Amino acid sequence: MTRSLVFVTIGALTNRPAPKAIENNCVAARAWIRAVAFAIIMLGPPAASFAAPGQSGGARPEAGSSPPGWNLALTGGFVANGLTDPVWTLGFVPGRTTRVVLRNADRENAASLGIGMFAQMYHDRRPWIAPISFGIGVHNDGRATFYLGPAFRFGRFASVTAGVAIGPVAALPAGVIENQPVSDTNSLSDLASRTARSWYFGVTYAFASLH
């Protein structure tokens, strides 16, 4: 119906049918309106917070105070995750006369440590838990890692978060296979990378919030 009204209005003003580009813009605008309306419904305060005194759902908010609703806190802190780089070396194995690519697990780290920043969404009625906590961290070499999981908040500032970490780790170059010989002894000097996932745990401190 909205598109029809737009076409009628444009036709009345220009005395010719609306072009195809305007129709496409109307479709895109309707999609944006639906997305904004959905965000307002999800982030807006629950209807129970506006219930009249004496009705189920709580009392009317006091004058000058905002009703309970969703809030967003920005936090930062230290993060540990299981995204560690494998370590390979060239060595000899029984039955082979040439060196092969070997995995050296003794030189690998058990966990990766770094810093990260998180956006934690929580509701004012249950401020102790943030069901959605999304973050990004940076390794020493500049590689970015993404974090997603819940967070438990202790007061207004301190929180702990844990979940899934997704980021790059080292990988063998193309054509180089573990436990197989290589033609170039420098093939391990320039490793490739691949995207992997693992666990993470972080301790963060909030430095800003919406309200």
Side-chain angles (χ1 to χ4, degrees):
M1 180 177 181
T2 303
R3 184 171 58 183
S4 300
L5 292 176
V6 172
F7 289 165
V8 171
T9 304
I10 294 174
L13 294 178
T14 62
N15 294 324
R16 61 172 180 261
K20 186 67 175 179
I22 297 179
E23 182 180 355
N24 295 335
N25 291 337
C26 291
V27 174
R30 290 173 61 184
W32 275 106
I33 292 173
R34 290 175 182 174
V36 172
F38 179 77
I40 293 175
I41 293 173
M42 295 299 296
L43 298 179
S49 63
F50 296 100
Q55 296 180 352
S56 60
R60 188 186 303 274
E62 298 180 359
S65 62
S66 60
W70 289 98
N71 198 355
L72 185 68
L74 300 179
T75 68
F78 298 98
V79 186
N81 63 69
L83 294 175
T84 59
D85 290 329
V87 178
W88 293 278
T89 59
L90 296 178
F92 292 96
V93 295
R96 295 289 184 94
T97 58
T98 59
R99 292 191 300 177
V100 298
V101 179
L102 299 176
R103 180 80 174 265
N104 192 348
D106 294 337
R107 296 179 53 190
E108 298 176 3
N109 296 323
S112 177
L113 302 178
I115 59 176
M117 294 185 62
F118 291 83
Q120 299 177 353
M121 181 177 294
Y122 64 94
H123 199 277
D124 293 332
R125 290 186 180 275
R126 296 178 179 85
W128 54 272
I129 183 172
I132 299 178
S133 178
F134 175 79
I136 182 173
V138 180
H139 285 276
N140 295 334
D141 55 4
R143 294 180 299 176
T145 303
F146 298 94
Y147 306 107
L148 179 63
F152 294 93
R153 307 177 70 248
F154 301 93
R156 295 180 55 190
F157 302 103
S159 65
V160 295
T161 177
V164 179
I166 301 176
V169 295
L172 290 174
V176 179
I177 303 175
E178 189 173 333
N179 297 325
Q180 295 296 325
V182 293
S183 57
D184 186 4
T185 57
N186 296 323
S187 57
L188 298 181
S189 60
D190 188 13
L191 296 176
S193 65
R194 63 180 181 88
T195 301
R197 63 180 181 180
S198 185
W199 58 269
Y200 85 88
F201 178 83
V203 179
T204 64
Y205 187 86
F207 56 86
S209 62
L210 290 183
H211 58 79

